[in-house]
Amino acid sequence: QSVLTQPPSASGTPGQRVTISCSGSSSNIGSNYVYWYQQLPGTAPKLLIYKNNQRPSGVPDRFSGSKSGTSASLAISGLRSEDEADYYCATWDDSLSGPVFGGGTKLTVL
Amino acid sequence: EVQLVESGGGLVQPGGSLRLSCAASGFTVNSNYMSWVRQAPGKGLEWVSVIYSGGSTYYADSVKGRFTISRHNSENTLYLQMDSLRAEDTAVYYCAGGPYYYESGGYGVSFDYWGQGTLVTVSS
């Protein structure tokens, strides 16, 4: 069981907007930055969002992150077939003194 | 261009040892927060170990006492020595690195760069 809770799956049709949630606690999301990683099939994870809502260079503005209290969300607008991937949230956990990941959400583009 | 290239994975019997390497280019291992993250078949990501730029090391409880993280500064390479391997250690092991900071929003660890992964299979 992961420290951070994500829905195991999400889906949408091309052009739609989908959101993926990540729930934690006061010792992790509630007091630290949240990151999101995208893992395309058969590849290594890639940083998608850092410091809650910042996009690295090259990441389309269709991807956005937000955080409120002990939860965070990743939103993908204008869904494309190439967005079909696993998405992981991550943050620092004060109690564990280390980074923790969510269990991952498999996004299917119908 | 930043590249992290892992090597050293393979098939090993329970109780055996393996040493993973992660060679970096375009990125300085000893200036960043360098971690090993693993992914069991069909499962999610699990943080394994870290070496800070200052040299401090930390481990997940699941590998503490069995795994050792280290680095060779002049070779710009990260290592993971894995001893007393168990079936549950079977996974793709990724090296990942980036900045570590404490700011107004709390602690942050950003895995900006990842290697391609190396598969470790523990089986008799």
Side-chain angles (χ1 to χ4, degrees):
Chain A
Q1 290 81 354
S2 303
V3 173
L4 305 179
T5 302
Q6 296 180 236
S9 63
S11 63
T13 56
Q16 266 191 330
R17 182 178 188 270
V18 297
T19 60
I20 297 171
S21 62
C22 176
S23 177
S25 68
S26 57
S27 68
N28 43 64
I29 291 179
S31 51
N32 298 299
Y33 290 108
V34 176
Y35 301 78
W36 288 91
Y37 298 90
Q38 177 193 57
Q39 187 175 32
L40 297 169
T43 70
K46 167 192 164 186
L47 179 65
L48 201 62
I49 297 289
Y50 67 100
K51 285 188 179 181
N52 304 333
N53 54 19
Q54 302 298 303
R55 284 185 307 277
S57 174
V59 173
D61 59 7
R62 302 186 296 106
F63 295 91
S64 62
S66 63
K67 170 185 152 177
S68 178
T70 59
S71 294
S73 292
L74 173 71
I76 308 171
S77 59
L79 199 61
R80 296 184 173 186
S81 58
E82 57 259 39
D83 298 333
E84 194 160 280
D86 293 324
Y87 293 85
Y88 294 90
C89 59
T91 188
W92 181 266
D93 191 287
D94 296 336
S95 300
L96 300 175
S97 295
V100 289
F101 290 93
T105 298
K106 183 176 184 61
L107 174 64
T108 301
V109 181
L110 303 170
Chain B
E1 182 196 7
V2 173
Q3 275 198 311
L4 299 178
V5 179
E6 299 101 335
S7 60
L11 174 64
V12 61
Q13 291 189 337
S17 298
L18 273 180
R19 188 196 196 202
L20 306 183
S21 300
C22 172
S25 59
F27 182 79
T28 305
V29 165
N30 66 4
S31 297
N32 285 275
Y33 180 98
M34 296 300 300
S35 271
W36 289 95
V37 177
R38 67 184 181 184
Q39 186 170 35
K43 302 296 184 182
L45 302 173
E46 179 190 15
W47 173 77
V48 173
S49 179
V50 63
I51 183 165
Y52 285 81
S53 56
S56 300
T57 59
Y58 295 89
Y59 302 89
D61 286 344
S62 57
V63 307
K64 202 173 294 182
R66 300 187 299 120
F67 290 11
T68 304
I69 190 171
S70 63
R71 68 190 182 206
H72 194 300
N73 293 342
S74 62
E75 294 181 356
N76 207 25
T77 300
L78 180 73
Y79 299 100
L80 186 68
Q81 177 66 41
M82 304 186 296
D83 299 320
S84 302
L85 283 161
R86 306 166 180 167
E88 54 265 36
D89 295 319
T90 294
V92 173
Y93 284 74
Y94 296 100
C95 67
Y100 166 82
Y101 38 80
Y102 180 74
E103 298 176 357
S104 60
Y107 285 98
V109 172
S110 185
F111 294 121
D112 291 3
Y113 304 107
W114 296 71
Q116 85 286 355
T118 187
L119 176 63
V120 172
T121 303
V122 184
S123 174
S124 55

